[in-house]
Amino acid sequence: MKLGKKNDIEQLAVSTVRSLAIDMIGKAKSGHPGMALGSAPMLTTLFLKHLEIDPKHPDWMGRDRFVLSAGHASSLLYALLHVSGYGLTIEDLKQFRQLDSLTPGHPEFGHTKGVDATTGPLGQGIAQAVGMAIASKHLSALYPDGDKLFSHRVYCLCGDGCLEEGISQEAISLAGHLKLNNLILMYDANNVTLDGKLDLSSSENAKYRFISANWDVLEVKDGNDIKAIDKALETAKASIYKPTLIIVHTIIGYGSKLQGTNKVHGNPLSEEDALNAKKVYGFDYPPFTVPSEISTLFKEEVIDKGAKRYLKYEETLKWYSKVHPEQFNVIEKTIHNDVSSFLPTKIDIVKKDSVSTRVASGEALNWLVNILPNMFGGSADVAHSVMTSLKDKSTFSSDCLEGVNMNYGIREFAMAAINNGILLHGGLRSYGGCFLVFADYLKPAIRIASLSKLPAIYLFSHDSIAVGEDGPTHQPIEQLAMLRSIPNVDVYRPADEMETYASWLLALRSNDHPSALILSRQNLEKLDESNYENVTHGGYVASLEKGPLAFTIIATGSEVNLALDAKKKLEEEKIYTRVVSIPCLELFDRQDEKYREDVLALPYEKRISCEMLSTFGWAKYAKYQMGIDCFGASAPAKDVIKKFDFTSDRLVHLIKKALKKN
Amino acid sequence: MKLGKKNDIEQLAVSTVRSLAIDMIGKAKSGHPGMALGSAPMLTTLFLKHLEIDPKHPDWMGRDRFVLSAGHASSLLYALLHVSGYGLTIEDLKQFRQLDSLTPGHPEFGHTKGVDATTGPLGQGIAQAVGMAIASKHLSALYPDGDKLFSHRVYCLCGDGCLEEGISQEAISLAGHLKLNNLILMYDANNVTLDGKLDLSSSENAKYRFISANWDVLEVKDGNDIKAIDKALETAKASIYKPTLIIVHTIIGYGSKLQGTNKVHGNPLSEEDALNAKKVYGFDYPPFTVPSEISTLFKEEVIDKGAKRYLKYEETLKWYSKVHPEQFNVIEKTIHNDVSSFLPTKIDIVKKDSVSTRVASGEALNWLVNILPNMFGGSADVAHSVMTSLKDKSTFSSDCLEGVNMNYGIREFAMAAINNGILLHGGLRSYGGCFLVFADYLKPAIRIASLSKLPAIYLFSHDSIAVGEDGPTHQPIEQLAMLRSIPNVDVYRPADEMETYASWLLALRSNDHPSALILSRQNLEKLDESNYENVTHGGYVASLEKGPLAFTIIATGSEVNLALDAKKKLEEEKIYTRVVSIPCLELFDRQDEKYREDVLALPYEKRISCEMLSTFGWAKYAKYQMGIDCFGASAPAKDVIKKFDFTSDRLVHLIKKALKKN
């Protein structure tokens, strides 16, 4: 190949990253060459000519973001991070998909420099990109001259898999509605999925689908035409009112003898085919080679330009710190989502005798929003039921980018994934709410939040059969167990107003794991012993025994008062029990053994758990359980509770029965 | 109102069901009048003039189906079922949302005659309707002259909520692709959601969205114009190549002083406003009144015509039983999804020494498909990884309606909800597969399957960190606990080929609950003691102790062999253990106490569970656990397993430690 012309060098750059991807996958004997090879021209063009980044400062807050929603094309991303100088070495590339390497099977945020999002579960990357675009827009409007710091673009690459997943529709619909012109979605349209041709499962017209969602749509007919890709990206960047979809028609596994078929989707190329592909590219170098002219190209176009960009940004920062010192201080403190320095250390409230924890949560939220500088959130169309609204604050929209109340629409899954994007971006503490039963809809995004160590906050109200009339489809049973089973998620089920305030504070104190607040629809009476200090231990003695201790009752949320009731009834029969409130099992688990044993007081055989939800998981703490392991029923709450006999009398009965057994 | 004209009577019919809905919600002091009042004209028109049903035979297999995807408009459906003669009395209507009534908050399949689907969790109803339409198409093609029995239409009513949920896109995309012209979706476009105007969260053009998915789209500008609604339905029924969306522009809470606002979405009308609304309708009758001319109208148009329809169908059935006696026999047996009479009572296989349970599942499936007459299923684009393909069988498509291999595309959630629709329809045993980690995506549909008592079958492969290179985003940890926590779902994690075959048989034996099969990617060695009888008990002794029993090891799936290994190592130190294989915890739980205690042999304190997934939930069976309560890692399987020290040596160590403690 005769180089010299810029276009030729860029073609060689494409061939280089393609060859690196082939080598990585070949060495690992594992990976997905199909999309990596097909998408190489568009991603190489993006890195070389459009992404405003600085590889030496991968965390710089004003940089463009890139989300590889099609996370299985990770080899391509790593190859580009290598040539772009993000610190990934050839040795790292050779360790692709190996234990503890910097190049795992799917991109992992916080693990590899330059990876802006953890992706792999399809569709979620698009929603994360939408979240990042929202964060950029909002931060630009939130702070005076904020656009100087936060106005950047978000690029995302997706394939057919992402677009078949329903969450993509939720995300693109909202992005179009919000007119996120800073969002550019590149769609690798190769017409092939794992099982075969796309037309086995889809006849969709992507162009009209996106136009109907208020997007601009551009099309590149030949995915190898880097000039056309460049031009499309240039056009997309100029969009004023809409996010842009660029449909790039590619050939899956380009260069392979199996190109254009599903056989190249998830299987490494054979040695022979690898050689063949490189021949097709005209790439005549040993494995894992980056030709010197390509190193030079990326040095000049990405690394040096990046350094200049960052220098300029530093100047802007300096200027900003002088002109807006106060805001600068806030931004510096909060850009990595740590808001601990803003948080109060105590909760000064006069507990109301009786209030639902959803209302208490709304109050706590509205107290905190005036203390914290960067709260942003809302609900999936249940703001008035889950109490997510920030009073006297405006609503985020394309006309009011400084608004902090977010209407996610009836899109629970996208809400959670978008919040992940907002947190990945940095600078805002986002939260989202819906009914607990619909935690099911957004669970896959909670998992990604946890895996990405993001301090997401979920507000789940209507937390038991006490939902009442809406019936079993709306009454959570197993959802609480589901949430508790996710690694590294703190799940709070506060029992009164004070526990709710404390749960909020603790959730905001986290900077490395998500928290869920499980809230009641019905009013709950205040506890005498509830206070912030107690909640920080996850569990505490809500009521001490009044005589020789016979049994320990462990309860959460709405059931603590029921337990206190049972305790009183048992006292009349000289059976003395202790009531332990455990607003957060995970936090309680993290206390030292002595604390836990002091609180629980009695051995396993003399403990009962009481929670008006599935008993699944409770056997870890108590031999006996009072819970509900079937679906609920439609009726006024008091009648449903009666039907399931969820009363203090039954708890009394169960304890007496257990005492006889022991 | 002057009656006499047909149109006037139909208007009165609309007013009657509206008034009934108002009365029901008013009496219950709970419910959602907004959509019930807005949708009344279209649903009344549908029942009066289009639905080919017979209220006296609500289960008749050839009837049209109706799915109220917007389940919160249940009052309207119940009102229509009342006037249509489905057996719901005025007293039943007065018991709306009361305990054990036939009129619960959201429609429940199997509970109220005439309710074709359990709905409430938004979006899923659309997918269920797609499933019903698929079932109708497939059954029509599967049997000779099948169209005479199964060719019917499926109607579905949805609102903005359903269309904002991502699953709607998955479902409509597949419906358009499959050219389901027997599907008619009525969209109550009232531009209002719970939190306010729709334009708070959406600017979508529904018309173009559906056209881009290969649908016909009709529009009715005035939702009170029953002539226009009638005409649109007529046009939709004539569609030859496409499903049809009818966008009906309505006014939420029509008649109320709060009409057109979100205040009438989920709150009962005040007494005064109820009177006002009825005045607007010109409906001057006491509460809960059906004017005699309306009773007559429904008697003539729905009940009598329905009876005639059914008579004709009975004749067709008689004819069919003569012309196709064999098929008639099969249809009669299987229409309610019971296939037990076809199932073999034993499994004659020579166990292979080593095979993955996903491969074993594929073999079992291909064995069963030749025994059962009505298997239908596939995967979410992972047919070759989860082994869901039926060999030598064709693929279901608009050109091949008799095909039994279904390509759901990368749409896990819709796959499961569509399968619910297929099972609700009756006549087919459907199944769907994906990787276990993506059980997260479809969980909300498993819940509905369980709640609806549907014998859905899920195949979840790649069931542990042994997934390997794809890394933590693709390695299940908490998913198994999540599935086990859902009420009434039998979750199988077979340990070898025989247990896999047995799990399949047991899953197919169910006619009232879903089953999930959790399958390994890697090969597993055969167990000596595995057989069908043993698996029917959920758990059994996989290996007896060879001396005085010191400890019981409970294991499932890929960990049974690890447990056997540990057992051998401990024997060398004269520590004798027993290995219990529990392929299905739920089934084991249903055995009598004696059986369970005989199998487990030792008390709680001398048992350990071993499963290469979250330990969440295992404390119910054993004091000690060996599991993984954090996220996995990307590397070849053996390296990941080593990283997490998931070895027989560790199990040996844990047991010895426990023995010292005890």
Side-chain angles (χ1 to χ4, degrees), chain A residues 79-97:
Chain A
L80 280 163
L81 293 179
H82 167 67
V83 292
S84 297
Y86 271 91
L88 273 191
T89 64
I90 284 288
E91 197 44 48
D92 292 325
L93 300 192
K94 286 182 177 170
Q95 290 297 311
F96 183 50
R97 297 185 149 229

Side-chain angles (χ1 to χ4, degrees), chain B residues 263-279:
Chain B
K263 288 179 187 148
V264 79
H265 185 293
N267 294 315
L269 271 56
S270 69
E271 268 183 56
E272 189 202 331
D273 196 18
L275 287 174
N276 169 69
K278 291 184 188 179
K279 209 166 171 184

Side-chain angles (χ1 to χ4, degrees), chain A residues 8-292:
Chain A
D8 291 342
I9 283 232
E10 285 165 6
Q11 283 294 0
L12 180 62
V14 171
S15 302
T16 303
V17 296
R18 272 180 168 147
S19 299
L20 284 176
I22 288 174
D23 295 339
M24 291 166 70
I25 294 168
K27 184 156 195 318
K29 295 191 179 67
S30 169
H32 299 78
M35 193 160 172
L37 301 182
S39 294
M42 66 178 113
L43 271 210
T44 306
T45 306
L46 177 70
F47 270 72
L48 273 177
K49 304 182 122 180
H50 297 278
L51 262 189
E52 303 204 10
I53 48 174
D54 175 24
K56 301 300 165 212
H57 297 89
D59 292 337
W60 155 36
M61 65 186 178
R63 75 191 186 280
D64 283 349
R65 304 298 196 276
F66 172 66
V67 179
L68 183 71
S69 191
H72 50 282
S74 58
S75 58
L76 174 60
L77 177 59
Y78 298 142
L80 280 163
L81 293 179
H82 167 67
V83 292
S84 297
Y86 271 91
L88 273 191
T89 64
I90 284 288
E91 197 44 48
D92 292 325
L93 300 192
K94 286 182 177 170
Q95 290 297 311
F96 183 50
R97 297 185 149 229
Q98 304 307 303
L99 196 63
D100 299 330
S101 80
L102 288 172
T103 48
H106 290 83
E108 295 177 20
F109 172 76
H111 182 79
T112 313
K113 281 179 188 164
V115 168
D116 284 335
T118 297
T119 50
L122 294 176
Q124 291 195 53
I126 299 176
Q128 289 176 331
V130 171
M132 293 173 179
I134 288 173
S136 164
K137 289 276 182 191
H138 178 61
L139 287 163
S140 296
L142 180 66
Y143 295 106
D145 289 318
D147 58 328
K148 304 262 188 314
L149 302 181
F150 296 108
S151 175
H152 64 81
R153 292 193 182 83
V154 181
Y155 297 88
C156 178
L157 176 68
C158 75
D160 291 306
C162 288
L163 292 186
E164 288 199 346
E165 291 288 359
I167 187 177
S168 66
Q169 182 65 22
E170 298 182 9
I172 68 169
S173 179
L174 197 55
H177 175 68
L178 295 172
K179 301 180 183 167
L180 301 175
N181 69 322
N182 56 340
L183 175 64
I184 297 171
L185 179 60
M186 291 178 288
Y187 164 31
D188 179 329
N190 60 29
N191 277 313
V192 173
T193 69
L194 200 48
D195 276 350
K197 291 279 176 198
L198 177 63
D199 65 10
L200 282 173
S201 66
S202 183
S203 316
E204 237 176 62
N205 183 315
K207 182 172 173 180
Y208 290 107
R209 176 177 163 198
F210 275 77
I211 287 174
S212 76
N214 206 33
W215 284 57
D216 276 334
V217 179
L218 305 170
E219 210 154 354
V220 174
K221 286 187 182 162
D222 173 5
N224 282 320
D225 184 347
I226 53 179
K227 275 190 188 167
I229 291 168
D230 182 36
K231 200 177 149 196
L233 283 166
E234 211 55 69
T235 309
K237 282 156 69 176
S239 173
I240 305 176
Y241 297 116
K242 295 181 181 183
T244 302
L245 173 75
I246 306 176
I247 304 174
V248 184
H249 296 279
T250 66
I251 295 166
I252 190 170
Y254 179 76
S256 160
K257 282 183 177 165
L258 301 168
Q259 73 174 32
T261 76
N262 63 328
K263 288 179 186 148
V264 78
H265 185 293
N267 294 315
L269 270 56
S270 68
E271 268 183 56
E272 188 204 332
D273 196 18
L275 286 175
N276 169 70
K278 291 183 187 179
K279 211 167 170 183
V280 171
Y281 311 148
F283 190 80
D284 188 19
Y285 296 87
F288 290 105
T289 300
V290 177
S292 61

Side-chain angles (χ1 to χ4, degrees), chain A residues 154-461:
Chain A
V154 181
Y155 297 88
C156 178
L157 176 68
C158 75
D160 291 306
C162 288
L163 292 186
E164 288 199 346
E165 291 288 359
I167 187 177
S168 66
Q169 182 65 22
E170 298 182 9
I172 68 169
S173 179
L174 197 55
H177 175 68
L178 295 172
K179 301 180 183 167
L180 301 175
N181 69 322
N182 56 340
L183 175 64
I184 297 171
L185 179 60
M186 291 178 288
Y187 164 31
D188 179 329
N190 60 29
N191 277 313
V192 173
T193 69
L194 200 48
D195 276 350
K197 291 279 176 198
L198 177 63
D199 65 10
L200 282 173
S201 66
S202 183
S203 316
E204 237 176 62
N205 183 315
K207 182 172 173 180
Y208 290 107
R209 176 177 163 198
F210 275 77
I211 287 174
S212 76
N214 206 33
W215 284 57
D216 276 334
V217 179
L218 305 170
E219 210 154 354
V220 174
K221 286 187 182 162
D222 173 5
N224 282 320
D225 184 347
I226 53 179
K227 275 190 188 167
I229 291 168
D230 182 36
K231 200 177 149 196
L233 283 166
E234 211 55 69
T235 309
K237 282 156 69 176
S239 173
I240 305 176
Y241 297 116
K242 295 181 181 183
T244 302
L245 173 75
I246 306 176
I247 304 174
V248 184
H249 296 279
T250 66
I251 295 166
I252 190 170
Y254 179 76
S256 160
K257 282 183 177 165
L258 301 168
Q259 73 174 32
T261 76
N262 63 328
K263 288 179 186 148
V264 78
H265 185 293
N267 294 315
L269 270 56
S270 68
E271 268 183 56
E272 188 204 332
D273 196 18
L275 286 175
N276 169 70
K278 291 183 187 179
K279 211 167 170 183
V280 171
Y281 311 148
F283 190 80
D284 188 19
Y285 296 87
F288 290 105
T289 300
V290 177
S292 61
E293 51 271 56
I294 296 308
S295 301
T296 308
L297 178 71
F298 276 88
K299 166 114 184 32
E300 288 171 359
E301 296 301 316
V302 182
I303 302 174
D304 292 352
K305 283 190 180 168
K308 273 184 206 157
R309 246 177 236 129
Y310 187 76
L311 267 180
K312 204 175 147 199
Y313 193 78
E314 271 197 321
E315 277 169 30
T316 310
L317 271 182
K318 261 183 219 158
W319 166 82
Y320 196 90
S321 68
K322 278 177 201 157
V323 183
H324 307 292
E326 210 176 307
Q327 286 86 352
F328 179 78
N329 188 26
V330 169
I331 291 167
E332 270 217 310
K333 273 189 184 167
T334 57
I335 191 65
H336 296 297
N337 299 334
D338 183 354
V339 292
S340 51
S341 63
F342 294 91
L343 289 174
T345 49
K346 55 180 187 172
I347 300 164
D348 272 329
I349 54 165
V350 181
K351 295 186 223 176
K352 280 186 276 301
D353 286 342
S354 180
V355 65
S356 70
T357 50
R358 64 173 168 151
V359 165
S361 167
E363 286 170 4
L365 176 58
N366 277 284
W367 167 58
L368 288 161
V369 76
N370 290 315
I371 297 171
L372 267 67
N374 63 343
M375 295 279 276
F376 182 87
S379 84
D381 199 47
V382 282
H384 309 302
S385 301
V386 186
M387 311 294 171
T388 56
S389 287
L390 301 172
K391 281 168 203 159
D392 310 320
K393 304 274 177 182
S394 47
T395 293
F396 182 80
S397 73
S398 57
D399 294 328
C400 181
L401 295 168
E402 68 278 17
V404 290
N405 281 308
M406 180 73 190
N407 290 297
Y408 292 94
I410 302 139
R411 308 179 180 106
E412 294 84 1
F413 190 7
M415 171 175 73
I418 285 171
N419 275 347
N420 287 348
I422 292 172
L423 292 165
L424 285 165
H425 183 281
L428 295 169
R429 283 303 296 253
S430 62
Y431 59 90
C434 67
F435 294 161
L436 176 55
V437 80
F438 298 117
D440 283 356
Y441 275 59
L442 57 79
K443 196 263 176 179
I446 304 180
R447 187 172 215 257
I448 291 293
S450 179
L451 195 48
S452 313
K453 299 193 165 59
L454 301 175
I457 297 178
Y458 310 98
L459 304 174
F460 295 125
S461 77

